[in-house]
Amino acid sequence: MILHKGVVVHPDEITQTWKKVILGSDIDILGIHPVGGGDSHERVRELAEHGFEASAAETVRELMSHGVGLEYELHVMSLLLPRELFGAHPEYFRLDENGGRNADYNCCASNKDALEIISQNACELAKKLPSSTHRYCFWLDDVRDKCCRCPECSRLSASDQALAVYNAVQRGVRRADIQGRQSYLAYCGASEPPSSVEPEDGVYLEYAPFDRDFRKPMSCSENAPSARNARELAAFFGAKDGKVLEYWLDNSMFSGWQKPPKKLNADPELIRRDLEFYDALGFGAVTTFACYLGADYEELWGEPDLGGYAVFDK
Ligand SMILES: [Zn+2]
């Protein structure tokens, strides 16, 4: 049963409208996701060192005082395994498609020393950006097909490599927060269940169906591959402690990740049917990206219509 619902927004889009919506509805998780791109880890570092800008910080405090959970959803491989280590330790990084070590994305998922560094840095990051729900989302890079092809990693699927890294993150998160749990982000190349790596205690499923058809419900034939992945992942990891990360309100994607934001056209029927789909699979929490709906959106288009996602008569 879906017990928790969230929205994931950019740090500079934590508006008074969101406060009103979250406090007045059944949404009880605020997820923070820095603007993407190659230097997004720098924005995470900034957030970890200096926190939110003053008015956003006040809004977050107020939401949390009302029991709203705060989570950070972050692609942070450059912080977990700094690329500057490449000079001294190229073996920490992936063997790429051309047969050379490369620090461009992700890491070697079989290198024990690299995994230990990832653990330590995950611990430090969890101390600086604690999750009030104890759910942590420190993810691999936002790319597809950038695995390690070294002899050991070649025996692992992309999903296995991802899980090996998330297990290392989990060990670090747990050192910072005894109840901390790290997500396995099922996304792009890691959308199928792992086959030869097992999740360590605390790792939970976070299913982000980026490859779905966003105009059709998950139960439609167009979304059969994504729906099958969801079912298989739920069977592998369990869904009760898992979370769906959807795109129903992702106005950054619908705007082509280019400002100014376009007008959001959320589809209430699609959202309703998808919520039923995830509920039937047993997911305990569902959240959706809801970026590009900040103050600049409201100036152009007024308060966003959330397509019935937020239920106000709670
Ligand atoms: Zn490797």
Side-chain angles (χ1 to χ4, degrees), residues 108-109 148 150 153:
C108 174
C148 181
C150 81
C153 288

Side-chain angles (χ1 to χ4, degrees), residues 221-268:
S221 59
E222 288 84 350
N223 279 318
S226 294
R228 186 186 63 240
N229 284 339
R231 273 192 292 276
E232 292 179 359
L233 287 159
F236 181 83
F237 286 98
K240 188 165 127 320
D241 294 328
K243 177 169 72 173
V244 175
L245 175 55
E246 262 291 354
Y247 298 84
W248 299 309
L249 308 178
D250 188 1
N251 204 38
S252 61
M253 183 168 71
F254 301 137
S255 301
W257 294 280
Q258 292 282 330
K259 293 280 180 103
K262 293 186 178 162
K263 190 168 194 314
L264 177 69
N265 286 307
D267 180 345

Side-chain angles (χ1 to χ4, degrees), residues 93-95 101 107-111 148-150 152-153 161:
F93 295 88
R94 71 187 193 99
L95 196 69
R101 293 284 171 179
C107 64
C108 174
S110 301
N111 187 286
C148 181
R149 291 169 164 77
C150 81
E152 277 191 76
C153 288
Q161 290 192 29

Side-chain angles (χ1 to χ4, degrees), residues 43 67 144 182 239 242 255 258 297:
R43 288 184 275 272
R144 198 185 287 268
Q182 163 64 25
S255 301
Q258 292 282 330
Y297 181 92

